[in-house]
Amino acid sequence: MNSTKINLITSLSIILGLCTTLPLSAQIPKDFKMINATINAKGDLVITASKTSSANDFDFLAGKWTMDNKRLKTRLNNCTEWVEYQSDDENFGPMLNGIANIDIYRTSYNQVNDKPYEGLTLRLFNPQTKLWSLYWVDSNTGVLDPPVVGSFEGSVGTFYCKDIFQGKPILVMFKWDKTDPNNPIWSQAFSPDKGKTWEMNMTNTSHRITP
């Protein structure tokens, strides 16, 4: 792509109110699909635990971490501009006889105000359904998001919920990849069309500091 074409795309993006398109090498693949989850005829989200789902699936997170984060500047409007920033996280290990864990996320980057940003995740394993429910709350809102629910299939966990974004119903997916348990990858994606297509809007790679 020559400089003339790049400038033309940039100008059109500004006119249309979109984000400036980055080179293809800077874009992140959108390889999301629903696993062990479907939308039934009534429009309900049906999630089934994998056969190997276990209360130990998140034990790998215990300890302290540094994190490399990428956040899509805007969502569900064909934006391809990513904001990159650093954070840290502390996970306190298994709790409630192994069916829960909690971690605290901290970063100086805050897209809402100039205060340091903190978030808390509570993960709960249901021994009857074999499903995990992941709850998130941050220092900007003080309100728990709807939990994403799911399980791990091997080293990859997928978790889903229904939510509302800019007044419209969406599906949310969290994806955990613990193939390398010392450098696990988390990602979030939204679907505006009941899971047919997905746009990843956040991802981070954690790097273990202490076990």
Side-chain angles (χ1 to χ4, degrees):
M1 184 179 293
N2 61 40
S3 59
T4 301
K5 290 183 178 179
I6 292 174
N7 290 333
L8 177 60
I9 290 173
T10 302
S11 299
L12 288 173
S13 296
I14 294 172
I15 293 171
L16 295 174
L18 302 177
C19 294
T20 302
T21 302
L22 296 181
L24 290 177
S25 60
Q27 297 182 25
I28 301 176
K30 303 176 179 64
D31 57 347
F32 285 77
K33 61 181 180 179
M34 296 180 75
I35 300 173
N36 296 330
T38 58
I39 302 293
N40 66 18
K42 297 181 179 179
D44 298 324
L45 179 58
V46 180
I47 304 168
T48 305
S50 70
K51 294 181 179 180
T52 59
S53 184
S54 163
N56 302 116
D57 283 333
F58 279 104
D59 288 0
F60 73 97
L61 279 180
K64 294 183 178 181
W65 306 80
T66 60
M67 308 170 82
D68 300 320
N69 302 267
K70 292 184 179 182
R71 180 187 184 97
L72 200 59
K73 192 169 183 180
T74 61
R75 299 174 177 179
L76 297 181
N77 71 346
N78 298 314
C79 180
T80 56
E81 184 175 352
W82 293 85
V83 179
E84 299 187 26
Y85 55 98
Q86 301 295 308
S87 65
D88 58 65
D89 189 275
E90 182 175 6
N91 184 284
F92 302 99
M95 299 178 177
L96 301 180
N97 291 327
I99 66 167
N101 72 68
I102 294 175
D103 59 41
I104 302 291
Y105 172 97
R106 298 182 177 91
T107 180
S108 59
Y109 171 75
N110 192 328
Q111 63 170 346
V112 175
N113 54 54
D114 58 0
K115 296 180 180 179
Y117 179 88
E118 294 188 353
L120 181 149
T121 303
L122 168 64
R123 303 177 183 87
L124 297 174
F125 181 77
N126 186 318
Q128 282 71 49
T129 64
K130 306 296 183 183
L131 289 169
W132 282 92
S133 295
L134 281 53
Y135 298 83
W136 167 262
V137 60
D138 68 44
S139 56
N140 288 337
T141 67
V143 177
L144 281 172
D145 286 349
V148 290
V149 178
S151 61
F152 274 86
E153 188 77 59
S155 295
V156 178
T158 47
F159 309 87
Y160 314 87
C161 76
K162 287 184 172 183
D163 207 343
I164 300 295
F165 179 71
Q166 296 182 345
K168 298 180 180 179
I170 61 168
L171 293 180
V172 179
M173 183 193 301
F174 282 12
K175 182 176 179 181
W176 272 102
D177 186 338
K178 59 177 181 179
T179 302
D180 180 351
N182 290 314
N183 299 279
I185 300 170
W186 171 87
S187 304
Q188 174 183 269
F190 288 176
S191 173
D193 53 14
K194 299 181 179 180
K196 294 178 183 178
T197 62
W198 293 89
E199 177 189 82
M200 184 171 73
N201 53 56
M202 288 186 68
T203 184
N204 61 50
T205 302
S206 298
H207 309 288
R208 186 181 298 280
I209 300 173
T210 63

